[in-house]
């Protein structure tokens, strides 16, 4: 059970002064009681108890005030009964009622004042605690923080708006001194240690003006002014500052603006040094650009053998047709009909060689690919013809299994053919160590669903190991000593750019199987 505390422990006066006041209040109450009880003074002496309450207000708690009020009321009623009895006259009763009412009202006012004072004390304590926490965060935090006075520059910007200016950027272009004028109107009130460290200085007085630390060509401060001009609550932007030693630093600037314009005299500005991050991103972008270039080169490297065969075939045919044409011309008389047929074949094979070269150049350059209707059955047949010499040299049987009716797909022909060549070339290399009589490649073409067509390339090789299968489409994953490991990664990314997919697995009957899912309508990059 808590003890009853009557004296206010949160004193504002010295203890001896409070004792004196309480003593005087008690003496005053005793005097009033004596005069009201034992004299014939016909006035509302009991109202003088109000003075006792007022004197004790600063020293008693709320419960003490209530107890003292109750005591004074009791003394007044006792005095009334003693002096007038229970049959007192109306005037005496009215005086008693007035005195009791005065004491009750005074008690209520004192209690209200005490509660208001306690609330104010609690509010001030919370405010001091909040200020202490804020100062701790501001001064000891590792984030660079400034307190700046934006009140004057805000007033200037609002005056511009009142003059009918609504595009501050255009106004700044027409008035080059605007930004400099704004910077001069924003003094720094305080800066923490992290802010001074960011700028490479020691004395906080050196940052009262930020002019020397803002890069001349930086537009971040103008954007900050635009945010104030447009009454935004928050601003975030990237800028460049010049440290004390002259080095440039890239920073992320964050500012929160108060709702009340009167509080613009102390605005918190935060800065984060993102120089290393920006440099890392720049290096990453450069590396990605180099990798993209290397990927294109790797694509050509991976397809170089196939391209050589592609060119050898039309070039060889050109030589044969030219020799045939020469023989028909040497006859007497020349066989002009045969000469014409040979010339037509020369033109056809020359155009084919030109198309192969042009496709390779388009793949290496930044030219937009041509999406055209492609018959997958015809494409696979053409690819088999292109690699016929390679298939014959490796003694590999090549089978095409296709549904009778398949829709054409809208795709980039050369890209699909490059993927097929890569898959077939990998299959040939995978079967290098098995007997020639057991080497075969099977290409199945069938509808995957109403919107897609599936092409499956299966070989009779040893299949793919679990480790290789997990990383098969990652760059630089290869099982060949001289391989770059980029072919399949490039094939997958090239297909995915058009909405297609490429997956690999081991067939249940042995060998590896690659599956291309090609949408009927290609997706543009």
């Amino acid at each position: 059970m808590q003890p009853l505390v009557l004296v206010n422990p949160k004193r504002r006066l010295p203890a001896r002064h409070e004792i004196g006041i309480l003593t005087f209040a008690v003496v005053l109450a005793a005097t009033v009681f004596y005069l009201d009880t034992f004299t014939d003074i016909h006035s509302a002496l009991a109202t003088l108890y109000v003075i006792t309450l007022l004197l004790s207000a600063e020293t008693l708690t709320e419960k003490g005030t209530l107890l003292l009020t109750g005591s004074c009321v009791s003394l007044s009623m006792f005095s009334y009964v003693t002096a007038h009895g229970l049959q007192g006259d109306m005037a005496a009763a009215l005086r008693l009622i007035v005195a009791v009412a005065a004491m009750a009202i005074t008690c209520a006012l004192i209690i209200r004042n005490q509660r208001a004072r306690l609330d104010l004390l609690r509010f001030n304590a919370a405010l001091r605690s909040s200020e202490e926490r804020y100062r701790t965060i501001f001064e000891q935090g590792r984030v660079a923080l400034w307190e700046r006075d934006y009140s004057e520059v805000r007033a200037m910007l609002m005056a511009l708006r009142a003059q009918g200016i609504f595009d501050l950027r255009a106004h700044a272009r027409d008035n080059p001194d605007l930004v400099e004028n704004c910077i001069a109107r924003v003094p720094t009130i305080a800066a923490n240690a992290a802010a001074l460290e960011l700028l490479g200085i020691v004395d906080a007085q050196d940052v009262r003006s930020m002019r020397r630390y803002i890069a001349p060509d930086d537009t971040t401060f103008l954007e900050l002014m635009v945010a104030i001009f447009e009454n935004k609550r928050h601003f975030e932007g990237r800028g460049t500052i010049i440290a004390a030693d002259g080095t440039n630093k890239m920073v992320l600037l964050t500012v929160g603006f108060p709702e009340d314009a009167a509080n613009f005299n102390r605005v918190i500005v935060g800065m984060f040094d993102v120089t290393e991050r920006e440099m890392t991103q720049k290096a990453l972008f450069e590396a990605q650009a180099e990798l993209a270039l290397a990927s294109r080169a790797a694509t050509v490297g991976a397809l170089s053998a196939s391209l050589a065969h592609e060119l050898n075939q039309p070039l060889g045919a050109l030589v044969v047709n030219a020799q045939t044409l020469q023989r028909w011309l040497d006859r007497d008389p020349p066989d002009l009909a045969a000469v014409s047929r040979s010339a037509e074949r020369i033109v056809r094979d020359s155009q084919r060689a030109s198309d192969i070269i042009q496709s390779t150049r388009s793949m290496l350059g930044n030219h937009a690919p041509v999406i055209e209707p492609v018959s997958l059955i015809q494409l696979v047949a053409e690819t088999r013809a292109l690699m016929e010499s390679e298939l014959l040299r490796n003694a590999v049987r090549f089978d095409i299994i296709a549904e009778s009716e398949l829709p054409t797909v809208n795709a980039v022909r050369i890209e699909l053919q490059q993927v097929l060549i890569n898959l077939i070339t990998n299959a040939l290399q995978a079967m290098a160590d098995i007997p020639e009589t057991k080497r075969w490649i099977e290409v199945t073409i069938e509808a995957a669903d109403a919107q897609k067509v599936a092409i499956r390339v299966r070989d009779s090789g040893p299949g793919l190991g679990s480790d290789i299968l997990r990383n098969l489409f990652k760059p630089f994953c290869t099982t060949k000593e001289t391989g770059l490991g980029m072919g399949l990664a490039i094939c997958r990314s090239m297909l995915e750019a058009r909405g297609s997919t490429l997956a690999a697995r081991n067939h249940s009957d042995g060998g590896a199987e690659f599956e291309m899912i090609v949408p009927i309508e290609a997706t543009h990059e």
Side-chain angles (χ1 to χ4, degrees):
M1 183 175 178
Q2 295 182 350
L4 182 62
V5 179
L6 300 179
V7 178
N8 190 352
K10 299 179 180 179
R11 297 183 177 94
R12 293 189 298 178
L13 298 173
R16 60 181 182 179
H17 290 179
E18 290 189 352
I19 294 173
I21 291 173
L22 286 175
T23 302
F24 179 75
V26 171
V27 172
L28 178 61
T31 303
V32 172
F33 174 73
Y34 175 80
L35 294 174
D36 193 26
T37 305
F38 302 107
T39 65
D40 294 332
I41 300 175
H42 299 292
S43 62
L45 289 173
T47 57
L48 296 177
Y49 285 119
V50 170
I51 301 176
T52 300
L53 296 176
L54 293 174
L55 288 173
S56 305
E58 296 296 325
T59 58
L60 297 180
T61 64
E62 182 177 324
K63 291 181 179 179
T65 301
L66 289 171
L67 182 59
L68 179 60
T69 302
S71 300
C72 292
V73 171
S74 299
L75 290 175
S76 298
M77 295 180 68
F78 179 80
S79 298
Y80 174 80
V81 172
T82 301
H84 304 285
L86 298 177
Q87 301 299 325
D89 58 14
M90 182 61 66
L94 289 175
R95 289 195 296 270
L96 176 62
I97 292 173
V98 169
V100 171
M103 286 185 282
I105 293 172
T106 302
C107 178
L109 293 175
I110 290 173
I111 291 175
R112 188 182 70 173
N113 181 66
Q114 287 176 339
R115 290 179 178 178
R117 186 164 63 87
L118 289 175
D119 289 341
L120 182 60
L121 290 174
R122 284 193 291 267
F123 175 78
N124 287 335
L127 184 62
R128 285 194 300 270
S129 178
S130 176
E131 179 70 15
E132 183 178 353
R133 287 195 302 270
Y134 164 75
R135 281 298 160 191
T136 300
I137 295 172
F138 183 85
E139 295 174 0
Q140 300 181 11
R142 296 309 304 157
V143 177
L145 297 174
W146 282 265
E147 274 188 329
R148 291 181 183 157
D149 184 355
Y150 283 93
S151 58
E152 187 177 353
V153 75
R154 183 185 183 279
M156 185 188 75
L157 294 176
M158 293 302 102
L160 292 177
R161 176 182 285 275
Q163 295 172 12
I165 296 173
F166 297 101
D167 189 343
L168 188 63
R169 296 183 183 89
H171 183 69
R173 287 193 297 269
D174 297 335
N175 299 270
D177 295 335
L178 176 66
V179 174
E180 291 292 334
N181 192 16
C182 289
I183 293 175
R185 293 172 181 263
V186 183
T188 298
I189 299 173
N192 66 358
L196 300 179
E197 181 181 345
L198 176 64
L199 296 180
I201 57 180
V202 178
D203 191 355
Q205 294 297 323
D206 292 342
V207 293
R208 180 160 180 82
S209 174
M210 290 294 294
R211 173 60 277 176
R212 58 172 291 197
Y213 303 105
I214 300 176
D217 57 346
D218 187 72
T219 60
T220 309
F221 189 85
L222 175 59
E223 294 303 318
L224 175 60
M225 295 301 99
V226 171
I228 297 175
F229 185 77
E230 296 176 353
N231 291 318
K232 293 184 178 179
R233 293 294 312 282
H234 183 264
F235 172 78
E236 181 175 308
R238 294 183 182 181
T240 304
I241 61 173
I242 304 174
D245 59 1
T247 59
N248 288 347
K249 293 184 178 181
M250 287 172 280
V251 296
L252 179 64
L253 180 69
T254 61
V255 185
F257 300 111
E259 292 185 9
D260 189 353
N263 294 328
F264 267 76
N265 60 337
R266 299 184 77 91
V267 176
I268 301 299
V269 179
M271 280 189 188
F272 303 86
D273 187 355
V274 294
T275 305
E276 292 186 5
R277 187 182 73 179
E278 293 294 326
M279 295 301 292
T280 301
Q281 288 183 345
K282 181 180 178 181
L284 177 61
F285 292 151
E286 292 176 353
Q288 288 175 338
E290 292 178 1
L291 179 61
L293 184 59
S295 298
R296 291 177 179 175
T299 303
V300 177
L303 300 176
S304 59
S306 299
L307 289 174
H309 288 300
E310 290 182 45
L311 290 174
N312 279 335
Q313 185 176 4
L315 291 177
L318 282 172
V319 173
V320 171
N321 288 322
Q323 292 173 344
T324 303
L325 184 148
Q326 186 65 43
R327 286 198 302 272
W328 293 125
L329 286 175
D330 290 340
R331 285 195 175 189
D332 189 16
D335 190 339
L336 297 181
V339 168
S340 178
R341 290 194 298 271
S342 296
E344 290 176 356
R345 289 193 291 269
I346 289 174
V347 172
R348 181 199 64 191
D349 293 333
S350 299
Q351 185 61 47
R352 185 178 174 190
S354 176
D355 291 342
I356 293 172
I357 295 172
Q358 186 61 39
S359 297
T360 305
R361 292 184 62 185
S362 297
M363 180 184 63
L364 290 175
N366 294 321
H367 307 293
V370 177
I371 296 178
E372 57 184 317
V374 177
S375 169
L376 295 180
I377 298 176
Q378 183 180 355
L379 181 69
V380 174
E382 290 178 359
T383 305
R384 179 178 61 180
L386 290 173
M387 302 192 69
E388 185 174 359
S389 59
E390 191 77 11
L391 295 169
L392 291 174
R393 186 167 62 252
N394 289 276
V396 175
R397 189 180 82 248
F398 192 101
D399 297 326
I400 302 176
I401 303 174
E403 294 182 353
S404 57
E405 294 184 3
L406 283 173
T408 60
V409 298
N410 291 315
V412 182
R413 173 184 289 271
I414 186 63
E415 290 181 353
L416 293 180
Q417 194 167 66
Q418 286 169 349
V419 175
L420 282 171
I421 291 173
N422 192 289
L423 296 179
I424 295 170
T425 301
N426 288 344
L428 292 175
Q429 295 171 349
M431 295 184 294
D433 296 331
I434 67 174
E436 293 184 354
T437 56
K438 297 182 178 181
R439 299 177 185 175
W440 52 264
I441 295 175
E442 182 180 273
V443 179
T444 303
I445 311 170
E446 61 184 13
D449 56 38
Q451 302 297 326
K452 298 175 183 177
V453 179
I455 306 175
R456 299 184 185 91
V457 179
R458 180 188 170 196
D459 60 53
S460 59
L464 301 167
S466 57
D467 292 340
I468 293 296
L469 197 57
R470 280 196 301 270
N471 302 305
L472 189 61
F473 294 102
K474 294 181 179 179
F476 311 112
C477 175
T478 181
T479 59
K480 294 171 283 189
E481 294 182 358
T482 59
L484 292 175
M486 296 297 297
L488 289 175
I490 294 171
C491 287
R492 171 177 271 188
S493 62
M494 189 161 49
L495 288 176
E496 288 179 347
R498 310 289 173 207
S500 304
T501 61
L502 177 62
R505 56 181 171 266
N506 288 317
H507 197 275
S508 58
D509 295 332
E513 183 178 64
F514 288 81
E515 181 181 58
M516 299 164 53
I517 303 295
V518 183
I520 294 177
E521 295 294 333
T523 301
H524 292 269
E525 288 183 319

